[in-house]
Amino acid sequence: MTDTAIRTATSTIAQGFVAAVGSRGDQTAVRWRDQDGAWRSWTTAELAHQVARAAAGLRALGVQPGQRVLMMMRNVAEFHVADLAVMFCGATPVSIYNSSPPEQIAYLAGHAEAAAAIVEDAEFLGRFDAVRDQLPAGMRIVLVRGSADGVTPWASLLESVPRDLADAAAAISPDTAATVIYTSGTTGPPKGVVLTHTNVCAQVAALRQVFSGEVSGKRVVSYLPMAHIAERAVSHYGMILNGYEISCCPDLNQLAEYLVQVRPQILFGVPRVWEKIRAKVMAAVSADPERAAKLNAAIEAAKPIAMARNWGSATDEQNAMWDRLQQAGLRAVRELVGLDQVEFAITGAAPIPVHVIEWYNALGVPLSEVYGMSENAGAMTWTPYKIKPGTVGPPVPGAEVRIAEDGEVLCRGPIVFPGYLKDPEQTAVAIDRGWLHTGDIGQLDEDGYLKIVDRKKELIITAGGKNISPANLEAALKTIPLVSQAFVVGDGQPYTAALLLLDPEVAPGWAQARGIPFGSLPELAEHPEIIAEIQGGVDAAMAPFNHAERVKKVRIMGVEWLPDSDELTPTAKLKRRVIKTKYATEIQSLYA
């Protein structure tokens, strides 16, 4: 598909949705579990009926074209109605993270000049109420579940006379803002990434071409924050424009249960999601050393075959061995965790250790790594075929990627955003002559596959003047089975060091199998056998690096860093400045 073809495949999301109602109106679009645990669903036509009424209700509430509406909702069915309803008003839906505290809500509402907000329940409403006097004057609030004084109940919107969606879609242009994605704000105040209908339609069309087959009807579990472009692109926009069947999982802690019930065919997850699923499998078999040894042996035997099959070069003997290994237990593991029907397994938003990708592919789950950012509407580079673990694939159709003289990854094409909301200075920094500056250092190999080396602003410069990539060292340290997270330091210091977090899924099972008594994870982190085992892993992980780069000292910690916390962004990126401050004492001890 050419650049022009991608731009014109679907002009706007609204037109795409109207077309979907006509072509697949009776196809299931959205599924969710009721309070009694029973599954409910809407077809595309039923979803459209809800959207038409909600859009009319929002217009009656005073929402006008060009305005912005905040949305604070979990992964629930009503999100898809609300987002589309705002769009069919000619307004722009702006999802914010559900963890946002009141003061951040006030900032985002003010910066977006929100005309209204749609909030899911009383818990979220309480945070808006705490800063009512700081919200934009006249901002209306719609409450999806429950009732409260001074807010509009969601049910009342659905009592409106349906809006004509085709007429509403005709008034929306490709350059209209489809959404605003606010950055996590780890390097300053959150910036509002404006994405147009052209950006989103080009992104979804590019992904459809990468899949290179029929994707309509594919099952997807929606569980990551809707404030993040990856979830929006994979589930919400994928449902509208590619016809995915979305199953809403409102709580990340329930993901394992949903995977088994839904058996998704497309699954996106940040690295920590994939690492935790793998850790649970390994923890489950660790109690039986013989069983664990058999699984590890099967995985190791399957690794080279998986790569050969991926590249279409597997021999008949390899394919026969593959079938035997799958039948001998690997298929059963996939079925156990609900990944037996996954056709496209995707990881992104943060670096993932190579061995994790290799492990899943050997298991029979075709995991591949995607690279992109909010500013390019999701995926910039990716391929689910002929993958090279350690790279993030070639550019997606319609995207141009090159490496600047200083090593920075640059991108241009219809997926690149027009700029930040009300911030021309930062826009000028991000986009130069049409090229998006990613802030990442990368390399392109002979096949055009991109490898991300590090963040441009996160390189460590030691006291000896050595420039070191913390991400490369952290990825290596996370290959140690007992380690769940690594944070490398050393800026201005004589050597690099690291904080290492015990894996709460693996470490207890490892200790129990060896008869090591412990009462808590912090206690286990100080046990001599744990320390010795991890130190041995550090030595092995650092062997490929030169002497100046190698981590010389580590501090093992029995804590867990969760996504959307002090230490990690909602997409599990390290908040380096926060971690350095919060764990200053522990870091200082590494240089005592």
Side-chain angles (χ1 to χ4, degrees):
M1 187 179 290
T2 64
D3 212 22
T4 302
I6 288 178
R7 287 177 182 274
T8 59
T10 301
S11 297
T12 67
I13 303 165
Q15 288 180 358
F17 184 65
V18 171
V21 175
S23 64
R24 53 174 187 270
D26 59 351
Q27 181 175 304
T28 300
V30 179
R31 301 173 72 243
W32 70 95
R33 282 201 321 192
D34 230 331
Q35 289 184 342
D36 59 3
W39 282 97
R40 314 291 182 190
S41 66
W42 288 324
T43 63
T44 305
E46 289 169 338
L47 173 61
H49 182 72
Q50 299 267 332
V51 170
R53 290 183 177 276
L58 287 171
R59 286 299 293 268
L61 201 62
V63 176
Q64 299 297 315
Q67 294 183 323
R68 287 176 282 274
V69 176
L70 250 55
M71 295 172 58
M72 194 174 195
M73 304 171 70
R74 299 177 183 87
N75 301 66
V76 294
E78 290 88 351
F79 168 86
H80 302 283
V81 178
D83 190 276
L84 281 164
V86 172
M87 182 184 301
F88 277 103
C89 284
T92 303
V94 183
S95 288
I96 63 175
Y97 286 108
N98 298 333
S99 58
S100 301
E103 58 272 17
Q104 189 170 54
I105 290 172
Y107 172 82
L108 295 174
H111 186 266
E113 301 175 73
I118 303 175
V119 300
E120 184 182 341
D121 57 19
E123 177 194 344
F124 293 163
L125 177 62
R127 295 185 221 165
F128 280 78
D129 285 340
V131 288
R132 278 276 186 149
D133 59 341
Q134 301 174 45
L135 300 177
M139 190 182 96
R140 305 294 296 271
I141 297 180
V142 177
L143 183 62
V144 176
R145 306 190 198 287
S147 61
D149 294 336
V151 301
T152 301
W154 173 256
S156 71
L157 297 186
L158 301 180
E159 295 170 354
S160 305
V161 176
R163 185 170 173 77
D164 188 303
L165 297 185
D167 285 349
I172 299 173
S173 75
D175 293 331
T176 298
T179 190
V180 176
I181 301 287
Y182 275 97
T183 62
S184 56
T186 56
T187 57
K191 298 189 290 289
V193 177
V194 178
L195 293 176
T196 67
H197 285 259
T198 291
N199 296 147
V200 172
C201 290
Q203 174 66 226
V204 177
L207 292 175
R208 186 165 57 244
Q209 184 174 346
V210 172
F211 285 130
S212 70
E214 182 56 60
V215 292
S216 182
K218 298 292 186 188
R219 296 185 300 279
V220 177
V221 177
S222 171
Y223 66 98
L224 291 170
M226 281 296 183
H228 189 255
I229 187 56
E231 184 61 63
R232 275 183 162 270
V234 171
S235 66
H236 181 59
Y237 297 136
M239 177 270 293
I240 296 168
L241 300 175
N242 281 350
Y244 303 158
E245 178 185 289
I246 304 303
S247 293
C248 303
C249 174
D251 184 352
L252 177 58
N253 293 323
Q254 297 176 339
L255 177 61
E257 180 183 350
Y258 274 70
L259 291 179
V260 172
Q261 292 195 15
V262 176
R263 306 280 168 178
Q265 293 159 296
I266 299 173
L267 182 63
F268 174 86
V270 296
R272 189 59 188 142
V273 167
W274 295 107
E275 290 165 354
K276 285 183 76 69
I277 293 174
R278 177 179 176 272
K280 285 182 178 180
V281 170
M282 301 310 294
V285 301
S286 64
D288 184 344
E290 184 178 349
R291 187 181 174 200
K294 286 182 178 179
L295 175 60
N296 289 331
I299 290 289
E300 290 305 312
K303 280 182 180 179
I305 304 176
M307 289 301 105
R309 287 167 60 88
N310 203 287
W311 282 79
S313 61
T315 64
D316 291 342
E317 290 79 7
Q318 284 180 310
N319 284 325
M321 174 61 78
W322 175 266
D323 290 340
R324 287 196 296 272
L325 290 169
Q326 297 300 317
Q327 292 170 7
L330 296 186
R331 182 180 295 116
V333 173
R334 295 202 309 274
E335 292 173 350
L336 182 67
V337 294
L339 301 180
D340 52 304
Q341 297 184 39
V342 170
E343 299 172 27
F344 300 99
I346 312 160
T347 180
I352 188 169
V354 168
H355 80 278
V356 176
I357 291 184
E358 292 176 336
W359 188 89
Y360 274 100
N361 277 270
L363 187 65
V365 178
L367 183 61
S368 55
E369 191 169 6
V370 67
Y371 169 73
M373 52 201 303
S374 300
E375 287 85 345
N376 69 259
M380 183 186 302
T381 66
W382 177 56
T383 179
Y385 313 106
K386 295 186 176 181
I387 70 166
K388 294 183 180 181
T391 78
V392 289
V396 299
E400 253 186 287
V401 174
R402 70 179 180 88
I403 307 298
E405 290 184 4
D406 64 355
E408 185 175 11
V409 179
L410 309 181
C411 175
R412 70 178 177 185
I415 59 175
V416 172
F417 80 137
Y420 296 110
L421 181 64
K422 301 190 299 186
D423 199 340
E425 291 184 4
Q426 286 298 319
T427 298
V429 172
I431 304 175
D432 181 19
R433 289 167 288 185
W435 288 96
L436 170 64
H437 287 243
T438 66
D440 288 318
I441 302 298
Q443 301 166 349
L444 288 169
D445 69 11
E446 65 279 2
D447 295 318
Y449 283 53
L450 178 65
K451 179 178 182 179
I452 300 299
V453 176
D454 211 337
R455 287 291 298 171
K456 189 174 181 180
K457 296 180 180 179
E458 291 177 357
L459 289 174
I460 288 173
I461 304 177
T462 65
K466 176 68 175 178
N467 284 15
I468 295 173
S469 162
N472 288 344
L473 294 171
E474 287 158 358
L477 292 168
K478 286 169 67 177
T479 65
I480 303 169
L482 289 174
V483 172
S484 68
Q485 190 61 263
F487 181 74
V488 171
V489 295
D491 207 38
Q493 299 289 350
Y495 54 84
T496 57
L499 302 179
L500 301 181
L501 273 58
L502 272 189
D503 192 309
E505 303 283 352
V506 176
W510 187 92
Q512 288 169 0
R514 287 156 181 79
I516 299 174
F518 65 95
S520 65
L521 204 63
E523 181 182 330
L524 192 56
E526 297 179 0
H527 196 281
E529 287 189 50
I530 287 281
I531 294 172
E533 178 71 14
I534 290 180
Q535 186 57 58
V538 171
D539 294 341
M542 292 296 100
F545 297 91
N546 66 47
H547 182 74
E549 293 175 312
R550 291 174 189 163
V551 167
K552 305 299 191 301
K553 293 182 69 175
V554 298
R555 173 73 180 268
I556 302 167
M557 301 168 61
V559 297
E560 185 175 10
W561 295 344
L562 300 173
D564 208 358
S565 63
D566 287 347
E567 296 86 2
L568 302 180
T569 70
T571 55
K573 293 185 179 73
L574 293 167
K575 294 182 180 178
R576 294 191 178 273
R577 289 195 304 176
V578 176
I579 294 172
K580 286 179 181 177
T581 301
K582 185 172 181 177
Y583 297 94
T585 301
E586 288 83 355
I587 292 172
Q588 186 177 5
S589 71
L590 292 166
Y591 297 99

